[in-house]
């Protein structure tokens, strides 16, 4: 049976190295083909402009900078994403309050549940069906 993320390209935007390593391990266990990471808004934007991702996880606060620009870039390209944060609901940006949020610290099971909902086939997300484009 295929794993949840088999063959998928995933972007993780996270500035805390230990959290990033944990997320990369979890995504690998879920079968992710490629995990690319960014620790700053600038790095994330450059990656989004140069590569195609099928899903992403986005920390709301990147070393004191909010990640709104990154959320906009992902949304503009139709890349589904979830937030990973220690922030509260009141910190959610208008227009993105319907996004799934993983509260730090989170478990493997919580991540799996959120990603299964995010990537459910009935969502009809075109970005999950792309097979060509920038590599």
């Amino acid at each position: 049976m295929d794993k949840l993320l088999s063959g998928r390209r995933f972007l993780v935007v996270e500035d805390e190295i230990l959290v990033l390593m944990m997320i990369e391990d979890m995504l690998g266990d879920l079968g992710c083909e490629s995990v690319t990471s960014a620790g700053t808004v600038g790095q994330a934007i450059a990656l989004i402009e140069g590569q195609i991702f099928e899903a992403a996880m986005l920390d709301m606060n990147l070393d004191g900078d909010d990640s709104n620009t990154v959320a906009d870039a992902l949304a503009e390209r139709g890349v589904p994403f979830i937030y990973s944060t220690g922030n509260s609901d009141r910190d959610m940006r208008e227009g993105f309050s319907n996004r799934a949020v993983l509260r730090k610290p989170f478990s493997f099971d919580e991540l799996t549940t959120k990603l299964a909902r995010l990537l459910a086939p009935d969502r009809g997300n075109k970005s999950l069906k792309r097979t060509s484009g920038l590599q």
Side-chain angles (χ1 to χ4, degrees):
M1 182 174 156
D2 282 343
K3 292 186 177 185
L4 176 64
L5 297 179
S6 290
R8 297 194 192 268
R9 297 174 49 94
F10 205 97
L11 174 65
V12 178
V13 183
E14 173 61 60
D15 61 340
E16 295 180 40
I17 191 68
L18 293 177
V19 174
L20 174 62
M21 291 170 58
M22 177 194 73
I23 293 169
E24 288 174 333
D25 286 346
M26 289 178 175
L27 294 174
D29 289 346
L30 290 171
C32 199
E33 175 183 308
S34 170
V35 179
T36 303
S37 63
T40 67
V41 170
Q43 289 173 345
I45 296 299
L47 288 168
I48 292 165
E49 289 176 350
Q51 299 182 42
I52 291 181
F53 297 100
E54 294 162 302
M57 180 181 292
L58 175 59
D59 190 356
M60 289 175 75
N61 182 337
L62 298 168
D63 196 28
D65 292 330
D66 70 52
S67 58
N68 293 340
T69 307
V70 180
D72 289 339
L74 291 168
E76 182 178 299
R77 288 163 179 76
V79 178
F81 67 92
I82 58 175
Y83 284 112
S84 165
T85 187
N87 293 354
S88 68
D89 286 339
R90 64 176 158 43
D91 295 323
M92 293 296 293
R93 180 172 158 218
E94 186 176 323
F96 287 92
S97 60
N98 63 338
R99 297 289 175 164
V101 177
L102 275 169
R103 301 278 177 220
K104 293 178 187 176
F106 54 85
S107 70
F108 180 79
D109 289 340
E110 289 170 317
L111 174 65
T112 302
T113 298
K114 296 284 186 181
L115 290 177
R117 288 183 191 145
L118 181 74
L119 302 173
D122 62 345
R123 293 188 80 234
N125 192 320
K126 293 179 202 165
S127 68
L128 298 178
K129 298 175 185 167
R130 277 191 261 192
T131 57
S132 63
L134 298 174
Q135 298 298 323

